[in-house]
Amino acid sequence: MRARSTVSGEFPVPRANPRLLGHEAAEAAFLDALRAGRLPHAWLITGPPGIGKATFAHRVARFLLAGAPRGAPSLEIPADHPTFRRAAAAGHADLLTIERNGGGEEEKKRRSREIPVEQIRRIEPFLRLTAAEGAWRVVIVDEAEAMNRNGANALLKILEEPPAHAVLLLTCGNPGALLPTIRSRCRLLALEPLPDATVDRLLAEHASELDPAERASLVRLAEGSIGRAASLIEDGGLGLYRDMLALLDDFPRVDFKAVHRMGDRIGPVAADSSWRLFTELLVWWMERLARAAARGIAPAEIVAGEGTVMQRVVGALDRAGGRAGGLDRWVELWDNTRRLFAQADGSNLDRKQVLLQAFIGIERACNG
């Protein structure tokens, strides 16, 4: 197991986060619909993970529950407002939040990948009640793509006959996983990745102990997701990224003794988070290299020495199959590696052997 970050900054959870940066256009779109008197009863808030979708949903909920102040330039409700405090403490009578692992301690321990249908079935009776504190009843379904089929069908019935003065806010990183009939009954609000300057600003505020070079590396690695940056800090992602690149220091040959040691380190069940982060970073790096090679550009280094590793890989691919053939081979390898890691997670394969197989594939692809 790698050491955790020593950074002491904390990032507020969505329900208690009073700020939202980088999504002013989305706020304006919601306010325009509200002021026009044509507020849709259901909103589908989409975008990559970690960019603020849940924070946006809670921000909308607080605004409505606080009475939707007329003429407000944004959806902000002060943190000392009674509505904010009750919503942040999950104690507001007119707000229901549905999320994965939200059904009790035992369910949280199982870390289910689905939102159980029982959670979705809580929505209909909640919305039948008259608002206790104001005009609105608000439901947030976070990571709506995690609903199983029964849950999706239960939600669809609610969307087909929505109660008056009720708003449903669905956050979703993969809209294609939702039923088309659910998507068609929601107003789409697509959030974009955050600008690098915004991610840098948030890191400077909430992880002030990072030195500038490390913060710059995290900004590039985050790709517009402050949530991803926070997870990388928590799990020592930059160190693991450097370790991953070190396995390719002697490319076009792979140091398989080092791969063995890495397998011993991240393969055990006790190192599950390390395994998942390492495989995610490797697949992401392979995709990043493919995109850069296809455009004929050299991507900015995330950590020192990365550019040299990338040049060696691209050079080996060119020698093995020419520019076009080498790139095609790399893209195929990226897809196979992604599928291999997914199979390892789904079929309980020996992780160390899976890791060795992945790096054997990399070496073979680049050596003809």
Side-chain angles (χ1 to χ4, degrees):
M1 291 284 287
R2 63 190 177 282
R4 297 280 182 172
S5 170
T6 59
V7 175
S8 60
E10 293 185 0
F11 295 82
V13 296
R15 70 169 63 251
N17 189 352
R19 299 173 63 210
L20 184 70
L21 301 178
H23 299 306
E24 292 78 10
E27 289 206 11
F30 185 89
L31 284 169
D32 286 346
L34 180 65
R35 289 164 182 161
R38 297 190 298 271
L39 188 69
H41 65 274
W43 293 75
L44 180 58
I45 304 164
T46 67
I51 64 169
K53 297 186 298 297
T55 298
F56 183 88
H58 282 280
R59 192 171 172 90
V60 168
R62 291 192 299 264
F63 186 81
L64 292 175
L65 297 174
R70 290 183 178 274
S74 74
L75 298 173
E76 182 174 2
I77 297 297
D80 59 355
H81 192 286
T83 296
F84 187 105
R85 292 201 300 268
R86 290 200 299 278
H92 199 291
D94 294 326
L95 174 61
L96 174 65
T97 301
I98 304 295
E99 54 195 347
R100 289 193 304 156
N101 307 317
E105 290 304 315
E106 288 305 314
E107 188 172 298
K108 290 177 183 178
K109 290 176 182 177
R110 291 198 300 270
R111 299 196 62 80
S112 170
R113 296 190 179 190
E114 292 186 342
I115 296 176
V117 64
E118 292 78 14
Q119 293 294 310
I120 301 301
R121 287 175 179 159
R122 296 171 57 202
I123 298 175
E124 196 272 335
F126 172 82
L127 292 180
R128 277 205 310 263
L129 298 172
T130 302
E133 301 187 35
W136 298 95
R137 300 282 274 179
V138 182
V139 174
I140 296 173
V141 181
D142 193 20
E143 297 182 286
E145 67 270 39
M147 293 184 296
N148 59 29
R149 185 77 180 190
N150 290 335
N153 286 330
L155 180 64
L156 180 59
K157 292 179 181 178
I158 298 168
L159 294 175
E160 288 172 342
E161 298 181 10
H165 304 295
V167 173
L168 287 90
L169 305 167
L170 315 182
T171 76
C172 184
N174 180 18
L178 295 177
L179 294 175
T181 43
I182 288 180
R183 297 198 303 269
S184 67
R185 285 168 171 79
C186 298
R187 163 77 180 270
L188 177 64
L189 198 56
L191 305 190
E192 299 294 331
L194 299 172
D196 283 355
T198 299
V199 176
D200 184 71
R201 175 181 172 184
L202 290 169
L203 286 176
E205 291 178 2
H206 297 289
S208 59
E209 294 175 31
L210 289 170
D211 66 57
E214 189 173 18
R215 192 171 75 229
S217 294
L218 282 166
V219 168
R220 295 192 187 104
L221 201 54
E223 288 197 318
S225 170
I226 187 61
R228 177 178 167 89
S231 294
L232 289 165
I233 292 172
E234 172 66 19
D235 293 332
L238 268 182
L240 199 60
Y241 192 75
R242 292 188 180 96
D243 293 343
M244 179 195 77
L245 292 173
L247 299 177
L248 302 173
D249 270 351
D250 296 325
F251 211 77
R253 298 299 175 190
V254 173
D255 183 351
F256 283 103
K257 290 184 179 179
V259 176
H260 272 275
R261 291 193 295 271
M262 180 61 71
D264 289 335
R265 174 181 164 191
I266 68 174
V269 174
D272 186 69
S273 62
S274 298
W275 167 262
R276 295 187 186 282
L277 182 55
F278 182 93
T279 54
E280 174 193 328
L281 289 172
L282 178 58
V283 169
W284 178 84
W285 183 81
M286 294 174 71
E287 182 183 4
R288 180 169 179 261
L289 189 149
R291 292 199 309 263
R295 298 169 185 159
I297 62 174
E301 283 192 330
I302 291 175
V303 297
E306 180 180 15
T308 301
V309 174
M310 283 192 163
Q311 289 173 6
R312 288 175 179 171
V313 173
V314 172
L317 287 168
D318 287 349
R319 291 190 296 273
R323 177 56 58 92
L327 179 58
D328 288 345
R329 183 180 298 187
W330 186 260
V331 171
E332 181 181 2
L333 175 64
W334 162 79
D335 188 49
N336 290 339
T337 304
R338 178 177 60 85
R339 292 174 184 272
L340 175 65
F341 290 149
Q343 183 182 5
D345 289 339
S347 303
N348 198 28
L349 301 179
D350 185 301
R351 289 175 170 178
K352 182 176 179 178
Q353 293 304 314
V354 166
L355 192 65
L356 286 167
Q357 186 176 340
F359 277 90
I360 288 171
I362 291 173
E363 186 179 74
R364 287 178 176 172
C366 296
N367 285 282

